[in-house]
Amino acid sequence: MITLFWCPQTRASRTLWLLEEIGRPFQVRTIDIRDPEAKKDPDFVKASPMGKVPAIMDATLGGTIYLADSAPIALYLADRYSAAHLAPGIDHPLRAQFLYWMNYTPGVIEPAMMERFMGIEVPRSSSGWGIFDTMIEVLENGLKDKDWLLGDDFTAADVLVGSSVYFMKKFGILPESPVLEAYVERCLERPAYQKALARDSELKD
């Protein structure tokens, strides 16, 4: 059984979406990461040394897996529960592109979002993510004339990137972009995302 350590208004919502896409039984354990006492849960400490969510605990025949952070969790779940077809196989020609997009959210989108939120300017040549406008341009080009990042097939990379584009739209920093607006709508139309958003809302209450 997979356990998701969850907290409202955090990145844990995207792992909730991924788990709904996988379609296997899982449970949610609420951890208020803003409360130092709550973070003393021994399982959570093992899963997330930095005390952040999302984090998961997965009881397997070989032992219990503890893991934190959106991208590693998404890669682990997509590969381990391959029946959901959320990741190309290790020898698939699209595997390299999949890995690129899996890292795009933590490595490019989130730093660029912070740049925009903080109103700071960074040199394009020396920042690992380029700049916010470059991030948007690359993302638009990656989705041009395609439904999903890898083409016709929805993958775990779309969970990470799609949720990030949704966050940008929600917080009012997504520039006018027919390509990205259509992408967000396709993400929101997925039954698993609707279930995740509903459950996320229920858990907050």
Side-chain angles (χ1 to χ4, degrees):
M1 172 72 79
I2 303 167
T3 299
L4 168 64
F5 296 99
W6 175 93
C7 181
Q9 298 180 328
T10 66
R11 295 172 180 85
S13 60
R14 61 169 58 119
T15 303
L16 195 59
W17 176 17
L18 180 63
L19 287 167
E20 294 289 359
E21 292 282 357
I22 289 171
R24 292 182 63 92
F26 68 93
Q27 59 186 6
V28 176
R29 189 183 302 182
T30 301
I31 296 288
D32 185 354
I33 59 172
R34 302 164 186 91
D35 179 2
E37 288 300 314
K39 290 193 287 186
K40 291 180 180 179
D41 180 312
D43 292 328
F44 179 61
V45 172
K46 287 182 184 178
S48 183
M50 294 188 68
K52 296 184 177 182
V53 292
I56 63 167
M57 179 172 65
D58 189 11
T60 74
L61 292 177
T64 302
I65 304 298
Y66 299 91
L67 188 61
D69 292 332
S70 300
I73 289 172
L75 185 58
Y76 165 78
L77 292 174
D79 281 344
R80 176 165 177 76
Y81 300 102
S82 57
H85 304 292
L86 293 173
I90 192 70
D91 294 322
H92 195 285
L94 288 176
R95 180 70 179 190
Q97 188 178 355
F98 169 73
L99 293 176
Y100 174 80
W101 289 117
M102 286 291 286
N103 189 60
Y104 200 73
T105 282
V108 181
I109 296 178
E110 291 186 350
M113 286 176 64
M114 185 58 64
E115 165 201 328
R116 183 54 53 97
F117 281 135
M118 299 293 291
I120 59 175
E121 293 186 10
V122 296
R124 183 195 302 259
S125 59
S126 60
S127 64
W129 63 92
I131 58 174
F132 184 89
D133 292 341
T134 302
M135 176 272 289
I136 293 293
E137 180 182 356
V138 170
L139 189 50
E140 286 178 321
N141 289 336
L143 285 163
K144 192 175 296 182
D145 302 321
K146 293 190 296 186
D147 282 347
W148 308 111
L149 291 166
L150 297 191
D152 294 332
D153 296 327
F154 177 90
T155 69
D158 292 295
V159 172
L160 296 179
V161 174
S163 60
S164 297
V165 177
Y166 174 70
F167 292 157
M168 284 191 282
K169 179 177 180 179
K170 185 177 180 180
F171 295 130
I173 62 169
L174 182 68
E176 184 175 341
S177 170
V179 171
L180 298 184
E181 290 281 355
Y183 179 59
V184 168
E185 289 306 311
R186 286 192 294 275
C187 289
L188 289 170
E189 288 170 0
R190 294 188 67 82
Y193 202 4
Q194 288 298 317
K195 286 178 67 176
L197 289 172
R199 188 163 183 181
D200 199 61
S201 180
E202 290 171 5
L203 287 165
K204 291 175 186 175
D205 297 335

